[in-house]
Amino acid sequence: MAGKRVTIADVAKATGVSPGAISRILNNDPTLNVRDETKETVRRAIAELGYIPNPQARGLRLARSGSLAMIVPEINSPAFVAIIQGAQRAAYELGYSMLIGGIGEEGEDPNLAARILSSNRVDGFLISTGKQEARQLAAVQQLGAPAVLVNRYLNEQLPHVVLNDEAGVALAIRHLANLGHERIGFLGSTRRFLGTRRLAGFKQGLAERGLRFDKRFVVNCGYDREGGEAAAHAVLALADRPTAIFATNHLVAAGALRVARQLGLDVPGALSVASFYDGPVADLLTPAVTSVAYPLDQLGYEAVRMLVRLITGEAPGPTGITIQPTGLVVRQSTGAISG
C-alpha cells in the first residue's frame, strides 16, 4: 500500500470483515458479537497494512445520533416517495429519525453522503443513487459508517434490498402476449443494474411465449417523460411498429401515451401500453395504465431494519433481500388489437 493512504475499506477487503464491524472493534464496542479470532484477524491486518483510524469515524461510532440518512437521485419520483415512506415508518418504529438527501438525477452532488457524515449527524446510510452508488458507498465506508443499498446492487457481500425486476417485467409481457401482441417494444434504461434486470425480464417474457426478440424495438431512454417520448417516436416510426409497449415507469409511459395521441393511435385499440411500478399515478394517466404492482414501501422498510441491525450489532440476518411483485393491475391501456 506504499504511496496510498490505507483506509478502513482496505482493511475490510483484506479481512472480509465489514467496515462497520472493524470500526466497532477499534472502539472496543461491548455490544459487538464477533469471535475473538475475528478481532485478532482485524488487528493483525491493521498492523500489517499500517492503517491509522480516522478520529472523525471513531467519534461517529462512539456517539450515536439516533438519525439515519437516505441518499436518492431525486425525491419527486412517485417510486421514491413510496420507498421513503416505508423507510420512515421503520425508522419511527425503531426510534430513529430520517434525513433525506438528493444528489441530482445525473449525480451532480457525488460527495453528499460524505459531507453529511463528516458533520456527525447520522449513524448510517440508505443509498439509492443510480450513477454514484459506488462512490457514495466508498465515501461512507471510508469513515466506517454502516450502509445499505436500496433498489441497487453492487455485489452479494454488500447489504442490499432489491425488487425482483425480472419477474415483474415478465409478468407484464405475458399479459401483452396473451392479448395477442407479438411485436412488443421496451422503453427504458438498458444499462446499469435496474435497466439490465428489466431488459432480462423482457426477454424472459418473450421467450416464455415463443416470441422473437427484436432489438429494433428496444430503446434506451432513461426514466423521464421526455425520454419516453423520444423512444416512442423511434419505435412507432417503424414500418412494422410494435403493437404494444412496455415502459420502465409511469413517466416513460406518459411520454409514450402522448406520442400515441399525436400520431392518432388509439390506446389500446392500435397500441397497448403497460408499465412498471403500480401506484396512484397510473390511474391519473389517460387512459389509466396497466402496471406491475410491488410493495415499494417494503423496500425502504426492510432496508432500515437491516441498517439498524448493522448499527446496533444485532445478528445481521441475510445480506440481501429481494421483494417480489404482488401482481399486475390491468387497466384501460392494454387490450387486444382491434380489427
Side-chain angles (χ1 to χ4, degrees), residues 236-304:
L236 296 178
L238 297 171
D240 57 343
R241 65 169 180 80
T243 60
I245 283 175
F246 176 80
T248 197
N249 65 18
H250 290 144
L251 294 177
V252 174
L257 291 173
R258 184 174 184 179
V259 171
R261 287 193 296 271
Q262 292 172 351
L263 298 176
L265 297 175
D266 176 65
V267 177
L271 178 71
S272 284
V273 177
S275 174
F276 209 66
Y277 291 147
D278 186 55
V281 174
D283 270 326
L284 298 178
L285 296 175
T286 305
V289 174
T290 294
S291 304
V292 182
Y294 285 91
L296 291 179
D297 62 325
Q298 200 69 15
L299 273 174
Y301 186 86
E302 294 294 344
V304 165

Side-chain angles (χ1 to χ4, degrees), residues 46-325:
I46 286 172
E48 292 174 353
L49 295 173
Y51 170 64
I52 300 175
N54 186 313
Q56 193 172 50
R58 290 177 61 85
L60 174 69
R61 305 313 306 142
L62 289 170
R64 293 177 185 159
S65 67
S67 297
L68 311 173
M70 184 171 185
I71 307 299
V72 299
E74 65 277 330
I75 60 176
N76 60 348
S77 165
F80 281 120
V81 170
I83 294 171
I84 290 169
Q85 288 174 339
Q88 288 180 320
R89 178 163 57 91
Y92 174 78
E93 291 175 1
L94 295 170
Y96 285 78
S97 59
M98 286 284 300
L99 298 175
I100 309 297
I103 67 167
E105 188 175 357
E106 298 300 320
E108 295 91 342
D109 193 359
N111 299 312
L112 176 60
R115 289 206 317 276
I116 292 175
L117 188 61
S118 67
S119 63
N120 201 24
R121 295 169 60 187
V122 298
D123 298 329
F125 283 87
L126 305 178
I127 298 178
S128 189
T129 59
K131 295 185 177 182
Q132 296 287 344
E133 63 263 24
R135 184 169 178 177
Q136 298 284 345
L137 184 63
V140 299
Q141 285 183 326
Q142 184 171 330
L143 292 176
V148 173
L149 296 173
V150 186
N151 210 24
R152 297 293 186 269
Y153 175 91
L154 290 175
N155 61 57
E156 279 298 324
Q157 285 68 49
L158 294 174
H160 59 276
V161 182
V162 297
L163 299 177
N164 188 335
D165 296 84
E166 294 98 324
V169 178
L171 185 65
I173 302 309
R174 287 195 295 269
H175 167 70
L176 295 171
N178 289 342
L179 291 171
H181 296 280
E182 297 182 354
R183 301 192 305 275
I184 304 172
F186 177 93
L187 310 186
S189 174
T190 59
R191 304 175 187 132
R192 292 186 167 270
F193 174 66
L194 295 181
T196 56
R197 284 165 63 96
R198 292 177 193 175
L199 184 57
F202 176 73
K203 293 178 179 179
Q204 175 188 328
L206 293 177
E208 288 177 357
R209 291 298 186 265
L211 300 178
R212 182 173 65 90
F213 172 75
D214 191 333
K215 64 180 181 180
R216 297 177 305 147
F217 297 162
V218 175
V219 183
N220 178 54
C221 69
Y223 299 96
D224 57 29
R225 193 197 70 186
E226 292 76 15
E229 290 183 16
H233 272 298
V235 297
L236 296 178
L238 297 171
D240 57 343
R241 65 169 180 80
T243 60
I245 283 175
F246 176 80
T248 197
N249 65 18
H250 290 144
L251 294 177
V252 174
L257 291 173
R258 184 174 184 179
V259 171
R261 287 193 296 271
Q262 292 172 351
L263 298 176
L265 297 175
D266 176 65
V267 177
L271 178 71
S272 284
V273 177
S275 174
F276 209 66
Y277 291 147
D278 186 55
V281 174
D283 270 326
L284 298 178
L285 296 175
T286 305
V289 174
T290 294
S291 304
V292 182
Y294 285 91
L296 291 179
D297 62 325
Q298 200 69 15
L299 273 174
Y301 186 86
E302 294 294 344
V304 165
R305 289 173 59 87
M306 184 182 291
L307 179 59
V308 170
R309 287 196 296 269
L310 293 174
I311 292 169
T312 61
E314 299 176 30
T319 304
I321 296 174
T322 300
I323 307 295
Q324 303 297 328

